[in-house]
Amino acid sequence: MATLTIIKYPNPILRKKAEKVKDPQSPEIQKLIPAMVETMRKNNGMGLAAPQIKKSIRLSVIEENGVVYVLINPKIKFQSKNKIIMEEGCLSFPGKFIPIARPEKVKIRYTDEKGTDKKLKADGLLARAIQHEMDHLDGVLLIDKKEKKGKISIKGK
Ligand code: ZN
C-alpha cells in the first residue's frame, strides 16, 4: 500500500474547516482509512487527520497502545475542567514541540470504520491525541494553542 503525502504548515488546506463524511462505507473512505493508518505509522505519529493528507473531511485516525481508533465525524460531548500542560508535536510541523494546555478528560461520539456509532471516554495521552486530531478538522493548529508564559502549569506525563 502506498503511503500518503503529509502536507506541512503553512499549506492552506490545514486551515480549512473540514466537511462531514457523508458515507463512511463508501469505497473511497474505506480505501483511505488503511492508507492513513499506514502513513501515520510510517511517520511515527500517534494520530493523523484527513486534512493533513489533503482531504478536507472529518476523519482522523489515532493509535494508542496498539489500538487503532478511526474517528469519523467526531463530536466532543464532555471536556473536564481540569487541564494538563504537555508538549505536543504534529506531523505537519516536523521537529516542533509546543507546550499546550488541554482538558485532561474527554468524552466523544463518533462513527467508526464499520459505520457504527460509538462513544468513547478518554484521558491521558489518548484524550490529548483526540483533541489534537479534532482540532485539525476545524483548521486549528498547535501554534494557535501555545501556552502563554506565566500561567500556573501542571506538568503532564
Ligand atoms: Zn497534528
Side-chain angles (χ1 to χ4, degrees):
M1 193 183 295
T3 51
L4 306 160
T5 304
I6 297 175
I7 55 171
K8 310 285 189 308
Y9 179 80
N11 190 308
I13 297 169
L14 292 171
R15 286 301 193 185
K16 279 174 75 179
K17 191 175 161 71
E19 305 266 325
K20 210 179 158 194
V21 174
K22 285 184 198 95
D23 180 11
Q25 297 297 94
S26 72
E28 193 208 345
I29 298 294
Q30 290 296 312
K31 244 173 86 176
L32 192 60
I33 291 167
M36 280 179 67
V37 172
E38 172 134 337
T39 303
M40 167 180 73
R41 287 177 175 161
K42 279 244 166 83
N43 289 279
N44 300 313
M46 191 185 168
L48 184 67
Q52 293 179 280
I53 47 104
K54 286 187 257 180
K55 302 266 180 207
S56 196
I57 54 171
R58 305 189 82 76
L59 160 65
S60 16
V61 297
I62 293 170
E63 185 166 30
E64 198 228 8
N65 283 332
V67 182
V68 173
Y69 300 88
V70 177
L71 309 181
I72 300 168
N73 302 328
K75 283 204 171 83
I76 299 259
K77 289 291 163 188
F78 167 82
Q79 286 178 299
S80 64
K81 284 216 175 83
N82 187 36
K83 290 186 178 181
I84 288 184
I85 298 175
M86 270 172 75
E87 278 202 338
E88 234 170 79
C90 178
L91 294 175
S92 295
F93 291 85
K96 207 169 179 137
F97 293 91
I98 296 179
I100 293 174
R102 290 193 191 270
E104 183 186 14
K105 296 176 184 175
V106 289
K107 285 184 199 168
I108 60 163
R109 294 188 91 126
Y110 64 98
T111 302
D112 73 2
E113 68 278 18
K114 297 186 176 94
T116 309
D117 289 328
K118 294 237 168 144
K119 284 183 200 172
L120 178 66
K121 251 197 240 182
D123 57 22
L125 218 49
L126 181 60
R128 179 156 296 260
I130 288 170
Q131 293 174 84
H132 178 108
E133 298 313 329
M134 285 182 67
D135 275 352
H136 273 299
L137 308 182
D138 291 321
V140 175
L141 302 171
L142 77 180
I143 46 171
D144 307 330
K145 299 237 155 187
K146 191 171 175 174
E147 197 51 30
K148 288 175 193 74
K149 279 199 181 122
K151 264 196 183 170
I152 299 161
S153 67
I154 316 152
K155 251 286 189 254
K157 278 200 177 154

